[in-house]
Amino acid sequence: MRRLLPALSALLLLGGCWTGLPWFAASESVTVIPDGSYRLAEPGAPPEGADVLHISRQKDRSLLIGGVDAPLRAIIVPLGGAAANANRYIVQLQKLDPRRPPKAMFLMLDNEQGRYRIAVLRCGSVAAAAAGRSGGSVARDPQSASTCIFGDRGTLVTTLRAAAEAEPALDLELVRVDGSDAERAIRR
């Protein structure tokens, strides 16, 4: 995880992200990613050396993602809309920290051809305007890119569907690790 967090943080700083309240319930979650160990790498890059995440389905249907400094909870729901979105999902990602108010980051997952590719959504002008119309806001930081903070679930979903039609960059890929690779990564 030593390399993943700085890489993911840099990606988020440069590209911004989409956030809001955790609107999706675990009961809405669908099974897309099987339990197991995965390397998080750039699509097409060799996964060797990338950080290993451990993903496990919980009783409430959410996913627990371990291997990070603080465990994360993921709820994956179908994106819906156009037929072209059949292999696309909304990922609601939350830090498991009861001391903080609930908030979530939203990503798009594409599992076409059995691959698990993730788009970190940029807070460009269209998304920023939608966030503002939803009663949300845009957090601007001169040191990084803007963050779109959505005020309601409906606007988030509509904007995500529009982003999917525009074919967003798939920034990261989860690559399944076989048992021996996972054991070596755990021992590190």
Side-chain angles (χ1 to χ4, degrees):
M1 226 51 248
R2 288 174 225 100
R3 293 176 305 279
L4 171 66
L5 291 179
L8 187 55
S9 294
L11 184 62
L12 294 174
L13 285 173
L14 295 173
C17 62
W18 292 13
T19 65
L21 293 174
W23 291 298
F24 300 97
S27 60
E28 297 174 81
S29 192
V30 295
T31 302
V32 179
I33 303 171
D35 288 2
S37 296
Y38 296 83
R39 291 194 186 277
L40 186 61
E42 293 180 37
E48 295 77 24
D51 294 305
V52 175
L53 301 176
H54 308 287
I55 297 176
S56 60
R57 181 153 305 282
Q58 303 302 293
K59 290 180 183 180
D60 69 356
R61 297 174 57 185
S62 68
L63 294 177
L64 177 65
I65 302 173
V68 294
D69 292 338
L72 300 171
R73 178 182 195 225
I75 294 173
I76 300 175
V77 298
L79 179 57
N85 291 337
N87 294 314
R88 294 200 167 157
Y89 302 85
I90 299 169
V91 178
Q92 175 178 283
L93 199 58
Q94 298 169 256
K95 285 185 180 179
L96 294 175
D97 187 350
R99 299 169 300 195
R100 293 181 174 219
K103 68 178 183 177
M105 181 173 140
F106 299 96
L107 308 168
M108 188 183 75
L109 173 69
D110 182 308
N111 79 331
E112 190 171 5
Q113 300 173 353
R115 296 170 67 189
Y116 307 108
R117 297 175 299 164
I118 300 165
V120 177
L121 303 160
R122 306 322 189 253
C123 184
S125 60
V126 173
R133 284 191 309 272
S134 74
S137 61
V138 176
R140 300 191 195 304
D141 180 341
Q143 301 287 323
S144 66
S146 300
T147 297
C148 288
I149 304 164
F150 284 84
D152 69 71
R153 174 179 166 153
T155 303
L156 171 78
V157 171
T158 300
T159 309
L160 255 163
R161 287 178 182 161
E165 288 177 21
E167 294 297 325
L170 298 168
D171 307 292
L172 301 168
E173 183 171 4
L174 290 170
V175 180
R176 184 81 184 227
V177 176
D178 73 26
S180 59
D181 285 346
E183 288 175 26
R184 278 194 296 273
I186 291 169
R187 281 189 238 135
R188 273 195 236 166

